[in-house]
Amino acid sequence: MRTIFTILLFSSLLFSYQKGDIVSSEIKDKLEMKDNKIYVIDFFASWCASCKREMPYLSKVNDTIDKSKIELIGIDVDEDLKKGQTFQKELREAKKLNFRVVDDPKGEIVKLFEPVGMPGLYIVKDGKVVDFLFGARDNIDKLLLDVLKEL
Amino acid sequence: MRTLYLSLVITLFGGCSIKDVKPWEKGTLAKETMREGGGDVLFKKFANHIYFSKEGSKGGGGVAGGGCGCN
C-alpha cells in the first residue's frame, strides 16, 4: 500500500525527463536531433511573459556558441498555432529570436518532457538529458553558458 | 456488497479528484480576462484604490511573472 502511494505521489516525476534520462527516438526524429551534438531545448509560449523576456538572452547565447557542436531549439507550446507563429514572427522581426522553432500545439513533445515551470530549458547531450533550468532566471545567458562550458 | 462498497469508494475518490493544470497549459489562465475584474480598467483602478488605502502604501500590488507557473 505504501509503495503504491509513493508511486502515485511521484508519478509525475516518473514520467517526466530527469537528469540522465535518454530522450526517445520519437522526440529525436521530431526535433531532427543528431547524437553527436549538444542541444538546448527551450519550451516557451506567447502568453508566458518570462519566456518573452528570456528570448533575447537565448538568442545572444546562440550568437556566441559553436553551432557545429551546440544547437538551440525552441518549442512553442501555444495551443493556438496562429497566435504562436505570430508571436515568433514578432520576435524574429525585433531580432529577439534567431534559432529554429518547432511548433507543438497539441503538446506532444512537452508532455514527454513535462517541465515543472515555464520557460523550461533542457540541455541534451548524446541523446541524454544532462541538465535543466526552469522558470524566470536572472542572467540566464550566463547561467546557460556556464552549463554548456562544463559539458 | 464488497464490490458495491469498492465501486462507491472509487467513485467518491474520483469525484474529488481535480486534474492539475500543467505549466504549459496555463495559456487561458494567463489571459487578462482571468484576472479580477477582467480587462475592465475602471474596476482595476477602483480595486487598486481600495488596496492602497487599506495598506497605506502605493505599489507592490502585483506579482512578477506571466502566470506561467514560474517565479
Side-chain angles (χ1 to χ4, degrees):
Chain A
M1 189 66 192
R2 192 180 272 179
T3 322
I4 294 168
F5 183 72
T6 317
I7 289 170
L8 281 173
L9 195 69
F10 296 104
S11 56
S12 62
L13 287 175
L14 281 175
F15 300 115
S16 62
Y17 281 141
Q18 301 298 312
K19 279 179 197 175
D21 281 354
I22 298 164
V23 174
S24 71
S25 52
E26 185 194 344
I27 296 263
K28 279 186 198 167
D29 290 343
K30 268 184 188 167
L31 303 181
E32 293 165 23
M33 289 163 80
K34 288 166 195 160
D35 275 339
N36 54 351
K37 236 177 167 184
I38 297 169
Y39 290 92
V40 178
I41 302 167
D42 173 38
F43 290 96
F44 70 94
S46 64
W47 45 264
C48 170
S50 308
C51 306
K52 196 178 174 181
R53 211 177 304 155
E54 196 180 84
M55 222 38 114
Y57 294 99
L58 294 181
S59 297
K60 213 166 96 182
V61 170
N62 194 37
D63 283 333
T64 55
I65 54 170
D66 180 359
K67 286 183 190 68
S68 63
K69 288 175 186 165
I70 308 164
E71 192 185 346
L72 261 90
I73 308 171
I75 314 281
D76 191 335
V77 298
D78 269 290
E79 283 171 22
D80 188 341
L81 185 65
K82 228 175 187 178
K83 208 174 169 187
Q85 284 175 339
T86 313
F87 173 66
Q88 289 167 37
K89 202 182 161 193
E90 278 170 16
L91 285 175
R92 282 194 198 279
E93 278 170 3
K95 293 185 177 170
K96 288 176 180 173
L97 173 65
N98 63 2
F99 47 90
R100 77 178 163 103
V101 171
V102 177
D103 294 308
D104 188 26
K106 286 178 185 168
E108 287 162 341
I109 303 166
V110 76
K111 273 175 195 163
L112 289 167
F113 278 87
E114 290 212 346
V116 293
M118 294 270 287
L121 274 176
Y122 284 85
I123 294 107
V124 177
K125 189 188 177 188
D126 301 324
K128 257 187 191 176
V129 176
V130 286
D131 214 337
F132 37 65
L133 297 160
F134 298 124
R137 305 282 290 263
D138 284 333
N139 305 316
I140 189 72
D141 48 341
K142 281 175 196 159
L143 275 172
L144 183 59
L145 281 172
D146 284 345
V147 172
L148 292 172
K149 261 178 211 168
E150 281 175 25
L151 298 174
Chain B
M1 192 63 198
R2 206 173 171 184
T3 324
L4 186 75
Y5 178 72
L6 198 72
S7 60
L8 194 72
V9 168
I10 291 168
T11 314
L12 281 172
F13 271 104
C16 296
S17 67
I18 299 167
K19 196 179 163 275
D20 58 331
V21 181
K22 300 284 183 190
W24 60 91
E25 294 170 340
K26 292 186 177 175
T28 310
L29 289 172
K31 280 179 187 170
E32 184 73 21
T33 45
M34 291 302 278
R35 287 187 189 177
E36 193 187 10
D40 191 347
V41 183
L42 204 65
F43 183 91
K44 211 168 165 182
K45 211 173 172 183
F46 185 65
N48 273 342
H49 177 75
I50 304 271
Y51 178 78
F52 297 142
S53 60
K54 291 266 182 202
E55 293 292 318
S57 65
K58 204 159 188 175
V63 286
C68 47
C70 43
N71 297 331

